[in-house]
Amino acid sequence: MAGQLIQVATETVTSAVASVTLTGIDSDDVYMVTVANVIPTTDDKNLQVRVTVSGTAQTSSNYDEASKNLRTDTTFSNSALTNLDRWQPQSASGSATGESGNLILYLFNFNNASEYSFVTVESNYINASGNLFGHQGGGVYTVAEAHNGINFSLESSDTFESGTFTLYKVV
Amino acid sequence: MSKSNKYGYVGVDVPEQSFGNNKGIFNPAEINELVADNKWTSFGQLELIETQTVSSATSLIFNNIKEDVYNVHFLTINDMQFSISGENLAMRLSTDNGSTFITSGYQYGQQYGQSSSGFGELKYTSRAYWDNFSSNITGTNSKAGMYIYLYNLGDSTKYSFYTSQSTATVQTSIEYQMRFGSGVLATASVHNAFQLDGDGHTSKLSSGTYSLYGIRYS
């Protein structure tokens, strides 16, 4: 029956790991990624997201993004960044009790070798100051090449304490 | 009702099966059969209703949207582009299966942001269409992807709503652009078709894959 979310890859962190890579993008369909209960081992770390080529995270400075930060502690803010070496859907993520993050990404044109790869991002998390953040926007990786997956890591080579990462194909 | 050995019943009248009203004990083959017949209860199930692919300038009409079955629709758009510059993706609803489209009364708010040239809001209380899902997408390396949820299209007692989120690079500068927002057509009516095009409605979509799904939650 057409019309399903087909699970392509999933990984649940049960002991500290430096990165999580989900691969298996091999068609021009839209893909969706869910990330639940992600927590850095060390407090106050940025979540980093990268595309992969043959399973290897791409670290060239070709990531652009724009997002609205929906904060509970102060006025909403904007985030507009170009030529980064990663997308950054969560900043200064917290690791204290009760602090964690979640996000949903939709992936467009990842399998298309002649077009850039795009993501939409919906994220919420509690940062290292204990404030709730919503983060709504997206990004582009401005290299026309095929990407077979997506990679998650933390700044300063920190590790994930927890998190469930799942890649789905929308068919 | 019919007498047969099915769904765990033997020699008695077997209940008719329908979504939300499955009775009996089911083996895997029977479940697969009911799923194929759209009679198996699975809340939140996603059904691909139709995919349309654009490879040359056109507009799109979806007029078999199963609005009598699904109260939430999910539209994905991948690799979208316009044939000329300056177009915004626009959607209009129909009450007559796409023979005509409603040209007034659309309301929406959209938040946009670009990686270099700033953020802003777009809001309308009386518009001839829902537009600005994504704009200025044409030329080399300028493409858009997005998803749109549509609510209550088939409910004659409720207004029709949408929520959307898009990701794109705009024409010429290839600057990154994101948009998200929501809208309503504040007319309680059954809407059984919709059109996608540039806001000029002159067949300006030039690429992309457009897939419409139904999500059943009740």
Side-chain angles (χ1 to χ4, degrees), chain A residues 17 21 23 28 36 51 58 62 84 87 108 113 132-133 148-149 151:
Chain A
V17 293
T21 299
T23 60
D28 291 336
V51 301
Q58 301 301 289
N62 291 293
L84 299 179
W87 293 311
F108 301 90
L132 174 66
F133 269 64
N148 74 329
N151 169 271

Side-chain angles (χ1 to χ4, degrees), chain A residues 25-47:
Chain A
I25 296 173
D26 59 2
S27 74
D28 291 336
D29 296 297
V30 175
Y31 287 76
M32 183 180 82
V33 177
T34 62
V35 179
N37 195 36
V38 62
I39 303 173
T41 302
T42 307
D43 202 27
D44 195 7
K45 296 300 177 190
N46 299 333
L47 177 65

Side-chain angles (χ1 to χ4, degrees), chain A residues 1-20:
Chain A
M1 183 183 72
Q4 301 176 69
L5 293 177
I6 297 175
Q7 187 183 105
V8 176
T10 188
E11 181 169 338
T12 298
V13 174
T14 55
S15 59
V17 293
S19 71
V20 172

Side-chain angles (χ1 to χ4, degrees), chain A residues 1-5 28 30 64-68 78-82 106 108-109 112 115-116 118-122 136-140 170-171, chain B residues 35-36 45-48 74 76-79 111 113-116 119 141-147 149 165-169 174 176 178 180 213:
Chain A
M1 183 183 72
Q4 301 176 69
L5 293 177
D28 291 336
V30 175
D64 299 344
E65 64 179 49
S67 298
K68 194 79 176 179
N78 302 324
S79 175
L81 300 163
T82 59
Y106 281 86
F108 301 90
N109 269 347
N112 190 334
E115 299 288 348
Y116 297 163
F118 295 87
V119 295
T120 60
V121 177
E122 297 174 69
Q136 193 98 12
V140 62
V170 184
V171 295
Chain B
V35 168
Q45 73 184 51
L46 195 66
E47 182 196 354
L48 176 61
F74 177 55
T76 62
I77 300 175
N78 194 20
D79 204 33
Q111 169 72 50
Q114 298 195 180
S115 57
S116 297
F119 286 63
N141 291 329
S142 176
K143 290 290 180 69
M146 73 185 73
Y147 57 87
Y149 287 93
Q165 183 158 4
S166 70
T167 181
T169 39
I174 316 302
Y176 179 70
M178 69 86 185
F180 60 88
Y213 301 83

